[in-house]
């Protein structure tokens, strides 16, 4: 676990917001056809729209979270879907309890 990279990626309000939204995707995003928001994730276009930012900025934020290991990305056709890496998020919680 690269804790420094993780904490850097969490130091931005919009990136934190993305993680909060993806914790309960059905609550924050519209259905996407046959895509299961919990299992597959949320399309980058919906995240971009909710952030009210340009696609390039939203993609950069998502990439930062993915590189830190906090998000999983899945490509289906021309679309990319993102969901939280719950295993790593639990490890971060344990890190706070055990190490800090």
């Amino acid at each position: 676990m690269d804790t420094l990279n993780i904490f850097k990626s969490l130091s931005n309000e919009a990136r934190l917001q993305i993680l909060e939204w993806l914790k309960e995707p059905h609550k924050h995003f519209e259905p996407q056809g046959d895509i299961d928001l919990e299992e597959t994730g949320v399309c980058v276009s919906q995240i971009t729209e909710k952030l009210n930012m340009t696609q390039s900025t939203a993609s950069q934020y998502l990439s930062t979270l993915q590189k830190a290991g906090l998000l999983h990305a899945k490509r289906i056709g021309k679309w990319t879907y993102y969901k939280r890496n719950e295993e790593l998020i639990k490890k971060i919680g344990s890190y706070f309890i055990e190490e800090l």
Side-chain angles (χ1 to χ4, degrees):
M1 180 168 72
D2 183 357
T3 53
L4 185 58
N5 196 27
I6 290 168
F7 292 135
K8 283 181 181 180
S9 71
L10 296 174
S11 68
N12 175 282
E13 186 176 356
R15 291 191 295 257
L16 280 173
Q17 187 67 68
I18 292 167
L19 286 174
E20 289 174 18
W21 291 333
L22 292 178
K23 182 176 183 180
E24 298 178 288
H26 291 311
K27 182 177 174 182
H28 299 284
F29 297 97
E30 295 295 320
Q32 302 171 107
D34 293 337
I35 300 295
D36 183 329
L37 298 178
E38 299 281 339
E39 185 66 30
T40 304
V42 176
C43 183
V44 66
S45 63
Q46 282 198 316
I47 296 169
T48 299
E49 184 178 319
K50 192 156 181 81
L51 284 170
N52 196 26
M53 296 181 175
T54 64
Q55 167 115 23
S56 63
T57 300
S59 292
Q60 185 178 19
Y61 286 167
L62 290 163
S63 176
T64 297
L65 290 166
Q66 184 184 6
K67 287 177 185 172
L70 294 164
L71 293 181
H72 292 298
K74 183 174 189 174
R75 187 128 174 112
I76 300 175
K78 62 180 181 173
W79 305 107
T80 303
Y81 296 84
Y82 289 91
K83 70 178 188 175
R84 291 167 32 126
N85 179 349
E86 296 297 339
E87 183 179 324
L88 181 62
I89 291 169
K90 287 177 185 172
K91 285 182 183 179
I92 295 165
S94 294
Y95 174 81
F96 274 104
I97 293 167
E98 296 169 12
E99 304 295 328
L100 293 181

